[in-house]
């Protein structure tokens, strides 16, 4: 009966018709890039040109980070047991969880609370940032999204912030992200630049994504790298090998410039 | 020791440096769209402008197909048990396997064999197509990639073939795909248009992707839809509900045009 | 170097020697039943005869619950896409999460807190149970482990409590579980018997398992049913079928008695 | 409508009634050990006492093999990313696939074919074994189930064969397994004892299990060890650590005897 039907607001399927959030798929294809369609599916509306470019750059930023993240290692390990490409990929996706990628959601929650507090209190950004840093120190918690075990100045974060500036999309969350870094530098005596999780968190806040969605967006991005990692494992390596996470080296194309 | 290191040719990671297939990530970001970077990671080189557009359209074509495919149902069901977004998504990815999406690989193998046979024999396309159809009939096997339970003329296939034509990318595999349809129409008395699996298979052949990679590419595309499906399940539905695959209806934005 | 080695306290592997928690595997095999070895691996010591019997009965109680739980549906759905048996099984396992099986952990936490409160306060069991029920009502939360959408008197719970009694293993957690039921009956006017999650929670408390382990134990049990569900799906059903969770019926052996 | 219902022959669920293959669950609990109920669910009938003991010993034999198999490493790696216990466990299960555990199915197929050939031809066991070894050598393929990278005389295999002998369950498949070993020794000049995969394969043949089910049975067994591995990872290790598969050591209870 009609009243028993459950509802979905994503894609309408009828014979010879597929419409995503109302847009016929054949109009999207060839006209709207994949990254923009991801935005459409998750937010319900097509992005502005600037949002689309930022979203796309975000997806590119995290598409792969070599063979050491848990997602790549889990995917390769499952592939090594003889699983199909998508099964191995799925194990990699499921490694993206509370810690792996989780700092995006954590950082979004900090930025959302900080900006909300700023708006409700009339305090300026630096004051609110300073209070947040004090509170986290008192609770002996780290603010997620700052610092990286390897990259002291993450090229992905630098580029994302620069791009947001170029596109006129640096708003209150970008400002707050900088203010928190400055407050930490002053209070902790350490300059911890934003890592890519923090940069993505900032951009997702600027584009009004819900924090609960963040790891999913990271996983869409990383799905590209995981196919490459699993395919390489299946094509180049023998089955059932012990995969040492650190004992590997790059033997792909040498460094080159785009264009 | 150096000689024990295993090799990877995907991404080189050094402090403050991330290079994919040789290209620094910060140069790719904002300049090369996500779909093109997927091409880079999987093929080793950046696509031509035409290849990039076709690749991107392919990724858009399969990003979602509503709530009924096994991938969406598996992801929603796992979410319903209380799993995290990425865990549910992973179950959806693992549903893409031998049957779900598998026709892409099957169809690629048919097209690759047919074109190879054509080149080796001096026979024309129609003759080879006719022989292939005869052989499959004799073996009582279906040629994968033709026909759809719902779409008699799949808008995604139509658009992909049209786009390939516009971009000057309709080569011998497109020709063979048409020839096989014609041969089936003549011999079986049924006109079975290519479904989206077949259309993607044809384009992947034109761009020289290995068939073993095909379901991974489909999974990258569908990862976008799976995040939307799982997020909707978590946000709108009660946990542990029995998910009837057919008793649902669309209540999203009404049909509208791009631009 | 020795100081870099990470530690594991589960199984020692040497050439021709496999010892679990110190016991050579060949001594366990044929002498200690599987359910008891699960206890050994998770608790570090072999169970007493009574603990072993209770553990085994617990594992049997949850081995399968037909085709409707999310775990069975997710596993069947992934199998329907053409995944391998273990891939489909894995999707089923991952459906066992916060809600599916999660009441075991929730109920354990209630019982552990209640008994701890009782011991610390000198209050009697009924008083503490009454306070807990009041607190949950005030917070508008349900106490996990009581009531079932289908079973008003779950045969698995009845049997587990009876068995614990026969084995002399009904301690303070069993007493508290009964006291909470009585308090709810008095205050809510509804008699909600313990469901199987609640009964398992009670027994895991009696055997001093950590709550964080509970869903894992449930998953070990259900792994048996999942293999049966997936194998049946692969052997009896056509691929890619829409799996209606309610439209099925049992056609296996008619009811019969053990022995 | 009734004719649309799909069928399942595993468990019948009615209010307050749960019957597995016809047996009420409360009669199984406390009376039939878990390993025997697994046999019931997969084969449809309760095992004889001897079959039950062999099945149980088989499940114990493979419950864990330390931290190095792909299943343990994949599960630990996914746990390291912050996934829930069951999500990590699921990744471990999915690592059990074509190569990891897959030799059980491969070896079963060899034994089934060899015994069938023996019965159809009137040749004796040694002759058929010799032919099979010749055929595999000619095809440059290894017969699965023989040899182990670490164990030259696997204590699990030795115990399983001994137990089968004690229980009067050494039939034609045990005989063929020995004959193939002898033939390989003669022709290859190497004595390759059966590994645990081969031993399990032989026992599953003796108990008439279908080869397609074999990796599922292995996964039921290993599910016990995976919970222990994941719980230990979550309880003892820091998140996101690189997990070197070889750089670990055992620090659990010292060797001891059962009873």
């Amino acid at each position: 009966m009609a009243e028993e039907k459950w509802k979905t607001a994503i894609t309408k399927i009828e014979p010879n018709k597929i419409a995503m959030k109302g847009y016929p798929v054949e109009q999207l294809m060839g006209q709207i890039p994949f990254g923009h369609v991801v935005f459409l599916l998750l937010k319900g509306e097509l992005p502005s040109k600037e949002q689309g470019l930022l979203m796309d750059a975000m997806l590119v930023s995290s598409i792969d980070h070599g063979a050491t993240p848990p997602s790549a290692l889990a995917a390769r390990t499952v592939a090594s047991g003889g699983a199909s490409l998508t099964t191995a990929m799925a194990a990699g996706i499921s490694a993206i969880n509370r810690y792996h990628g989780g700092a995006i959601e954590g950082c979004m929650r900090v930025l959302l609370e900080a900006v909300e507090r700023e708006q409700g209190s009339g305090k300026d950004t630096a004051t609110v940032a300073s209070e947040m840093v004090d509170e986290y120190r008192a609770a002996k918690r780290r603010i997620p999204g700052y610092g990286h075990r390897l990259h002291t100045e993450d090229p992905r974060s630098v580029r994302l912030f620069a791009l947001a500036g170029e596109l006129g999309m640096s708003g209150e969350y970008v400002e707050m992200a900088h203010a928190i870094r400055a407050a930490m530098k002053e209070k902790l005596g350490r300059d911890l630049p934003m890592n890519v999780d923090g940069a993505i968190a900032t951009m997702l806040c600027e584009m009004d994504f819900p924090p609960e969605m963040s790891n999913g967006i990271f996983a869409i991005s990383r799905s590209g790298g995981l196919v490459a990692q699993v395919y390489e494992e299946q094509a180049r390596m023998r089955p059932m090998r012990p995969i040492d996470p650190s004992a590997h080296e790059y033997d792909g194309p040498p460094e080159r410039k785009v264009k």
Side-chain angles (χ1 to χ4, degrees), chain A:
Chain A
M1 283 174 287
E3 69 272 28
E4 288 177 3
K5 289 194 175 172
W6 55 277
K7 304 290 187 290
T8 177
I10 304 168
T11 302
K12 184 175 187 178
I13 307 286
E14 290 174 353
N16 301 332
K17 187 175 272 186
I18 298 165
M20 292 159 178
K21 296 287 178 187
Y23 294 110
V25 66
E26 68 273 18
Q27 291 184 30
L28 297 169
M29 291 166 63
Q31 201 169 177
I32 310 293
F34 180 76
H36 301 222
V37 180
V38 169
F39 185 106
L40 169 68
L41 283 188
L42 300 186
K43 294 273 300 167
E45 297 297 330
L46 282 168
S48 68
K49 192 188 160 199
E50 290 76 19
Q51 289 172 323
L53 281 168
L54 192 60
M55 182 78 188
D56 205 301
M58 235 174 53
L59 292 177
V60 169
S61 75
S62 299
I63 193 168
D64 197 60
H65 195 262
T68 52
S71 49
L73 289 168
R76 282 178 175 269
T77 304
V78 169
S80 176
S84 71
L85 173 54
T86 49
T87 299
M89 193 181 163
I93 297 282
S94 71
I96 297 171
N97 235 298
R98 189 167 164 199
Y99 303 119
H100 186 10
I104 305 175
E105 182 171 339
C107 185
M108 284 182 81
R109 292 195 186 281
V110 169
L111 294 174
L112 289 167
E113 190 193 329
V115 168
E116 196 188 349
R117 211 187 273 193
E118 185 185 0
Q119 290 167 341
S121 67
K123 293 175 188 167
D124 68 7
T125 308
T127 307
V128 172
S130 179
E131 287 174 9
M132 296 286 290
V133 171
D134 286 340
E135 288 167 23
Y136 269 75
R137 284 187 77 190
K140 294 185 193 301
R141 294 175 57 199
R142 291 183 51 211
I143 295 188
Y146 292 86
H148 195 279
R149 65 184 166 78
L150 186 65
H151 306 301
T152 52
E153 196 71 43
D154 194 312
R156 300 166 294 181
S157 306
V158 174
R159 181 76 184 104
L160 270 182
F161 278 99
L163 194 65
E166 292 166 25
L167 295 168
M169 290 192 60
S170 297
E172 50 200 349
Y173 297 100
V174 168
E175 198 190 351
M176 184 60 75
H178 289 313
I180 290 175
R181 177 176 174 177
M184 285 198 294
K185 189 177 176 184
E186 190 195 313
K187 288 165 194 283
L188 311 179
R190 291 179 63 197
D191 187 19
L192 293 170
M194 270 211 148
N195 53 39
V196 73
D197 290 339
I200 290 177
T202 311
M203 302 312 148
L204 290 177
C205 285
E206 291 290 353
M207 293 189 285
D208 199 27
F209 277 91
E212 295 82 5
M213 221 179 236
S214 56
N215 243 350
I217 296 169
F218 176 51
I220 294 170
S221 167
R222 189 54 56 93
S223 71
L226 287 172
V227 173
Q229 297 284 342
V230 173
Y231 183 80
E232 187 179 67
E233 182 72 25
Q234 294 179 326
R236 289 185 81 174
M237 311 291 173
R238 64 178 170 77
M240 301 289 290
R241 72 178 179 112
I243 305 178
D244 187 327
S246 49
H248 60 82
E249 63 188 5
Y250 175 76
D251 69 346
E255 201 164 326
R256 46 186 173 169
K257 287 194 178 166
V258 176
K259 275 174 202 175

